[in-house]
Structure formats: structure tokens, C-alpha cells
Amino acid sequence: MKEFTKRGEIKMNGKIEQLIMNGKYQEAWIAIAEYEKEYPFDADMDTYRVLCLNNAGEHQMALQYAYRAVQNQPYVADAHCNCGYAFELCENYFQAYEQYAVAKELALGGNPIGVPIEKIEVYLDLINKERTKRQWKFCTKAQGEQENV
């Protein structure tokens, strides 16, 4: 019985992944709900929800699922990478950087990841540049306010 259940999980996960890869996010969302009726504790579903919601422009909601995915799968590099992306889309660059850094370290430690490490390094570099730009704007604004006092 357990082997049959595992095959069913794998088959359905593959279907959901295929829907997401083909950009059919609404269909994937429905498939996730159907799947969870039978397998309510599959932690991968939060990751799938993140992908669907981010692509639907629902970044704050995606972030909630991304954070839950990281809590449920702390050693899964992809969960941290997706969480980093969700934080980035919500313009929470510090938290995005942290999540990307964790994903990179997990991947370097041998945990599989769907994104090449080089791409994560590009994400980290871009976030550093964005953070620096925002800090510069903040500092110049604060300097201007002090001069007007």
C-alpha cells in the first residue's frame, strides 16, 4: 500500500510541476488542492504554491507560503531559493539576501538545488547592488534634511 501511495504522490507531483513549467498556474493551483485532499502533509505543496502565486503577481501571499516551506524544509536549498525570490519581489532585500545565501551554502554542502549556484551568486550580487542604491538614497535624503534644519 505504501509503495502505491508513493507512486501516486510522484505522479501527481510531476503533473503539478508540468503545469507550472507550462505556465498553467491556475490549473496547478487546482491540482494542488486536489492532491492535498489525499496527501495533506506534503511539504512540497507550499513550494508549488509559491511558484503559482509569484507568477500571478500575488507576492505577499507567496511570501507566506515560502516562509512556511523554509520552516518545514530547512535543509532544502530550493525552498530557501524560492523564499529569497519571494522576499526580493516584496522588496525585502535583506531577507532575500539571507535566504539566497542559505540556499547557496546548502547547495555547496551537497543538497540538491534546481538553480545553478552561479545564478544564485548573480542574485546575491544584484541584491547587494539594490541594497547599496537604497542606502545611498536614504543617506542623501537624510543629509538634505539635516542641511535644511
Side-chain angles (χ1 to χ4, degrees):
M1 180 74 172
K2 189 172 185 172
E3 188 175 82
F4 171 79
T5 301
K6 192 66 175 169
R7 280 191 200 135
E9 288 177 32
I10 291 169
K11 183 178 179 184
M12 189 60 169
N13 280 2
K15 176 186 174 188
I16 294 168
E17 287 175 11
Q18 202 61 40
L19 288 168
I20 291 169
M21 288 172 44
N22 291 329
K24 298 179 178 181
Y25 304 111
Q26 191 171 10
E27 288 178 48
W29 190 267
I30 292 166
I32 291 166
E34 291 172 7
Y35 175 81
E36 282 190 315
K37 289 176 186 173
E38 198 166 338
Y39 307 103
F41 301 109
D42 189 336
D44 288 337
M45 294 305 109
D46 286 333
T47 298
Y48 296 148
R49 280 194 178 91
V50 171
L51 298 172
C52 291
L53 289 166
N54 273 336
N55 285 290
E58 297 291 338
H59 306 306
Q60 286 295 331
M61 192 180 296
L63 181 55
Q64 293 173 14
Y65 286 109
Y67 190 73
R68 190 166 80 179
V70 165
Q71 289 178 321
N72 291 332
Q73 299 176 310
Y75 302 107
V76 175
D78 278 328
H80 288 278
C81 192
N82 289 329
C83 190
Y85 186 60
F87 273 121
E88 184 178 351
L89 291 174
C90 292
E91 298 183 356
N92 295 330
Y93 296 109
F94 181 77
Q95 293 91 338
Y97 189 91
E98 282 183 330
Q99 292 301 317
Y100 286 138
V102 171
K104 179 182 173 184
E105 290 303 314
L106 287 170
L108 290 172
N111 292 316
I113 189 164
V115 176
I117 292 174
E118 295 80 17
K119 195 168 186 177
I120 293 174
E121 289 172 343
V122 169
Y123 295 157
L124 290 168
D125 187 48
L126 289 172
I127 287 174
N128 260 338
K129 288 177 183 173
E130 182 62 32
R131 285 174 48 199
T132 302
K133 187 169 56 173
R134 286 173 173 259
Q135 288 170 343
W136 174 255
K137 285 180 182 178
F138 177 77
C139 289
T140 55
K141 181 180 178 187
Q143 181 68 28
E145 289 173 359
Q146 282 183 345
E147 289 173 359
N148 291 331
V149 173

